[in-house]
Amino acid sequence: MKKTSTRLADGRELIYYDQRDDSVRDAVDKRPLDPTVTTSEVRRDPLLGDSVAVASHRQGRTYHPPADECPLCPSQGDRLSEIPDSSYDVAVFENRFPSLAGDSGRCEVVCFTSDHNASFADLTEEQARLVLDAWTDRTSELSHLPSVEQVFCFENRGAEIGVTLGHPHGQIYAYPFTTPRTALMLRSVAAHKEATGGENLFDAVLERELAGERVVLEGEHWVAFVPYAAHWPYEVHLYPKKRVPDLLGLDEDARTEFPKVYLELLRRFDRIFGEGEPATPYIAAWHQAPFGEMEEFDEGTAVNRDDFGLHLELFTIRRTSGKLKFLAGSESGMNVFINDVPPEFAARRLREVASS
């Protein structure tokens, strides 16, 4: 992998990740851009104890442009985009309309391929490995920023999810705090460690699922399963069999196998609802240990970064053909999910649609 860092016309960082070591990235952003102005502010809710990012400047962000005006495609002739070069393998840049900025963190866009009409599932294993390497490198770099406590790599796909740009891409949020979802996991890890005399909760979950009926696919170094208490109609968790706290902890064997397992999982997601159905909308979310202090999660037994288990959660809001799962009163009002699809059925369906 070759990494080349440059700057866009308004000063934002752009990074190319190339498969070839002899790639040259010296194209200049010729757009007449004014410096980026953000109004991001993080406010803490005193009752719930969580944080909300207020970012009014995002009201003006690009919204469903036609394909020939896509800002994530390479620049061609007079059509200038966020990527000055005429081609790229993987490109990462600071979001022009970030939810988090400055002392409030950082937001980046990850372009998986220059092919506008592709999806992550269309990538080759070599391309998917390059994306994994880019995620890992960005996690490392962002974790060293003084304002960053947790790094979240994710992909939103599909208009139903709220995606406003059709080009295959994901995002990275570098939060200045530990997210509420991670905090809940860490509290559960601490409580389980205390109750069992030291057993790791992530290890216990993985052991139980490996012995059960909800495994979707399994490799030598990775396993994908529908969790016992899945929140979403079709939800799969992808775990490395060797627990590590973050993407940086994966060894070469796990990195080599990941593209094959993950691409197969995404392709099965596109076949859940049968032939002729639109591409399955989904969210793919990497859960990594925070880089900040862990004392606040102490429930009588100390926990540290190595107690956390890196994993990816992949889920869709489509519950059946032509119908979506909406977060209504119970989910949105009280954070109590109601799942219409039994996890065992979902796992069986995802096994049935294995590629030939």
Side-chain angles (χ1 to χ4, degrees):
M1 178 188 77
K2 181 180 180 181
K3 175 183 175 182
T4 306
S5 179
T6 184
R7 293 283 171 179
L8 296 173
D10 55 8
R12 289 175 294 130
E13 186 177 17
L14 165 67
I15 308 163
Y16 294 99
Y17 293 90
D18 286 292
Q19 293 177 336
R20 294 172 54 96
D21 290 336
D22 59 354
S23 298
V24 177
R25 300 297 183 186
D26 55 6
V28 176
D29 185 4
K30 300 177 181 179
R31 296 173 298 170
L33 297 180
D34 294 327
T36 301
V37 177
T38 62
T39 57
S40 179
E41 177 188 1
V42 174
R43 299 184 180 183
R44 188 167 179 82
D45 186 312
L47 292 178
L48 297 179
D50 59 7
S51 298
V52 177
V54 180
S56 60
H57 62 277
R58 285 175 53 78
Q59 286 279 37
R61 66 187 184 274
T62 307
Y63 187 80
H64 293 297
D68 60 356
E69 297 178 16
C70 174
L72 306 186
C73 287
S75 294
Q76 297 288 343
D78 294 331
R79 189 173 74 82
L80 306 179
S81 74
E82 293 279 63
I83 317 294
D85 215 320
S86 59
S87 67
Y88 64 86
D89 291 341
V90 173
V92 179
F93 60 87
E94 290 183 77
N95 198 319
R96 191 177 178 187
F97 304 96
S99 301
L100 306 165
D103 292 340
S104 297
R106 175 160 158 152
C107 292
E108 298 182 342
V109 177
V110 183
C111 300
F112 302 141
T113 171
S114 59
D115 185 352
H116 180 85
N117 297 312
S119 70
F120 201 117
D122 295 323
L123 301 182
T124 65
E125 291 185 19
E126 291 75 19
Q127 288 174 308
R129 169 60 190 265
L130 186 61
V131 175
L132 174 63
D133 289 341
W135 282 331
T136 305
D137 181 71
R138 297 315 302 151
T139 296
S140 177
E141 292 290 326
L142 293 170
S143 71
H144 288 95
L145 296 180
S147 63
V148 172
E149 189 165 311
Q150 186 171 5
V151 179
F152 176 46
C153 307
F154 65 99
E155 179 192 2
N156 298 327
R157 188 181 83 160
E160 300 95 329
I161 298 294
V163 175
T164 58
L165 297 176
H167 195 102
H169 73 288
Q171 300 181 66
I172 302 176
Y173 277 22
Y175 296 103
F177 51 81
T178 296
T179 61
R181 189 174 177 87
T182 302
L184 285 173
M185 292 183 191
L186 288 166
R187 291 189 181 100
S188 296
V189 167
H192 185 83
K193 190 175 182 180
E194 172 72 18
T196 61
E199 182 181 65
N200 182 272
L201 181 56
F202 286 99
D203 293 347
V205 167
L206 184 56
E207 182 179 359
R208 181 177 72 173
E209 295 295 353
L210 280 168
E213 58 180 313
R214 290 180 296 275
V215 171
V216 174
L217 66 128
E218 182 180 358
E220 184 179 354
H221 304 284
W222 295 86
V223 61
F225 58 87
V226 178
Y228 172 73
H231 289 58
W232 299 94
Y234 289 89
E235 174 182 341
V236 177
H237 293 189
L238 180 61
Y239 276 52
K241 290 185 176 179
K242 178 183 177 182
R243 174 168 46 87
V244 295
D246 51 39
L247 289 166
L248 284 72
L250 294 173
D251 62 23
E252 184 57 31
D253 288 338
R255 292 181 183 280
T256 299
E257 186 181 76
F258 171 79
K260 180 178 181 180
V261 174
Y262 187 50
L263 290 172
E264 172 62 18
L265 189 58
L266 291 179
R267 291 161 187 168
R268 291 191 191 191
F269 251 60
D270 273 341
R271 293 192 290 269
I272 295 173
F273 303 104
E275 296 294 331
E277 286 291 320
T280 302
Y282 66 73
I283 294 174
W286 280 109
H287 291 265
Q288 306 191 79
F291 290 92
E293 296 295 327
M294 309 287 281
E295 285 81 4
E296 64 182 288
F297 308 112
D298 187 353
E299 298 288 345
T301 298
V303 294
N304 53 54
R305 296 193 77 250
D306 291 334
D307 289 318
F308 193 87
L310 167 76
H311 63 285
L312 181 141
E313 298 184 8
L314 172 69
F315 59 90
T316 180
I317 62 171
R318 187 178 292 164
R319 56 187 175 88
T320 190
S321 180
K323 297 180 181 179
L324 301 180
K325 165 66 178 177
F326 292 100
L327 300 189
S330 186
E331 292 90 354
S332 295
M334 297 302 289
N335 200 27
V336 177
F337 276 68
I338 300 168
N339 190 353
D340 302 311
V341 179
E344 293 73 22
F345 175 87
R348 185 164 63 250
R349 177 60 182 157
L350 285 162
R351 290 194 297 268
E352 291 172 350
V353 295
S355 60
S356 57

